[in-house]
Amino acid sequence: MTRAEKAAAIMEEWARDDAHGYDQQYRWGEHGDYDCSAAVIAAWELAGVPVRSNGASYTGNMRGVFLRCGFRDVTADIDLAVGAGLKRGDVLLNCQHHTAIYCGDGKEAEASINELGTVTGGQPGDQTGREFLIRAYRNYPWDCVLRYSGGEAAEDKPARAMCTVTIPEVRRGDTGAAVAAAQAALKYKGHDPHWIDGEAGMRTEQCVRQFQKSNGLTEDGICGGQTWTMLLKG
């Protein structure tokens, strides 16, 4: 089974199970509910593509993260008005408001709205049968269509063993091993701080800002969670 098939199947399973409704406060399945972006992101994460692990969190940052995780923007190949050219597993994305997964046969799966017609405050689970649903394809309108292109060979590779570590933020004035690690990673990524001395001075901060700018991150000069994620990727 391809990852695209897995992601689409997960969305369909959730949509058919009334334990899963819509909520923007408890949006990652804490009580069974999702909002539109959390559902699509979580489905792909469970299918083996680490989009959430790499920072995807809402419609506004999905496109950038998904492209970095093996997706292609195939919008130019799609007739959005009728959905011609879509393939099962394609991510339908409006970068400001909504997202869904195309299921094939003219259908899409999505988390839509709660039973109150609002984004939060309803009861857990699908109270109407349409909070999380499979529906006929329609052009929301979609800004883009993203298609996973990791390939079957890539999908057949065994998962890499992972470990979890806690890395502190690094900011100007800090010292220690975390600073040296950040300096080494910055140099590896092409932003040479000149010295890997474990002392975060002006040059290290400048390199962090340059790296953040080149990767679409907030340019605050602080090596925090998202910056560390990008530094340590690949």
Side-chain angles (χ1 to χ4, degrees):
M1 182 184 293
T2 68
R3 288 173 181 169
E5 172 61 33
K6 290 177 184 177
I10 289 167
M11 286 288 285
E12 289 172 330
E13 180 181 353
W14 288 343
R16 292 174 177 135
D17 184 350
D18 286 345
H20 302 297
Y22 183 98
D23 190 56
Q24 275 193 5
Q25 181 177 6
Y26 300 103
R27 57 192 292 261
W28 294 105
E30 296 96 326
H31 304 303
D33 292 352
Y34 297 88
D35 69 1
C36 64
S37 55
V40 173
I41 292 165
W44 274 101
E45 185 89 10
L46 289 171
V49 184
V51 285
R52 186 181 182 188
S53 299
N54 280 284
S57 58
Y58 74 113
T59 53
N61 65 13
M62 281 177 61
R63 183 179 182 277
V65 176
F66 275 52
L67 291 177
R68 292 194 295 271
C69 289
F71 286 75
R72 293 184 297 116
D73 188 328
V74 296
T75 313
D77 301 327
I78 308 299
D79 183 346
L80 291 174
V82 297
L86 287 169
K87 294 184 178 181
R88 183 167 168 82
D90 283 352
V91 175
L92 309 169
L93 178 63
N94 179 299
C95 295
Q96 289 189 327
H97 299 297
H98 194 48
T99 186
I101 284 185
Y102 184 70
C103 300
D105 298 325
K107 303 290 185 181
E108 64 189 57
E110 63 190 52
S112 180
I113 199 72
N114 72 13
E115 74 272 21
L116 305 176
T118 59
V119 298
T120 191
Q123 296 297 313
D126 194 337
Q127 308 301 312
T128 65
R130 296 188 63 81
E131 292 188 42
F132 199 139
L133 75 160
I134 300 170
R135 66 188 304 167
Y137 169 82
R138 89 281 197 219
N139 186 8
Y140 178 77
W142 307 117
D143 298 328
C144 62
V145 177
L146 305 176
R147 179 173 295 161
Y148 185 67
S149 57
E152 295 303 318
E155 293 176 15
D156 290 339
K157 291 180 180 178
R160 179 184 299 180
M162 302 294 287
C163 63
T164 301
V165 296
T166 300
I167 306 177
E169 285 188 346
V170 169
R171 63 183 68 209
R172 188 173 177 180
D174 288 348
T175 60
V179 177
Q183 291 170 327
L186 286 163
K187 183 174 182 178
Y188 178 77
K189 294 288 187 175
H191 301 273
D192 191 353
H194 298 324
W195 300 280
I196 301 175
D197 57 5
E199 297 183 5
M202 181 184 299
R203 174 64 184 174
T204 298
E205 183 183 83
Q206 289 174 341
C207 287
V208 172
R209 290 182 183 275
Q210 292 167 1
F211 177 79
Q212 289 170 331
K213 182 177 181 179
S214 66
N215 286 274
L217 302 172
T218 302
E219 298 172 46
D220 57 8
I222 300 170
C223 192
Q226 290 189 331
T227 302
W228 271 118
T229 295
M230 292 302 299
L231 275 174
L232 297 177
K233 182 174 180 251

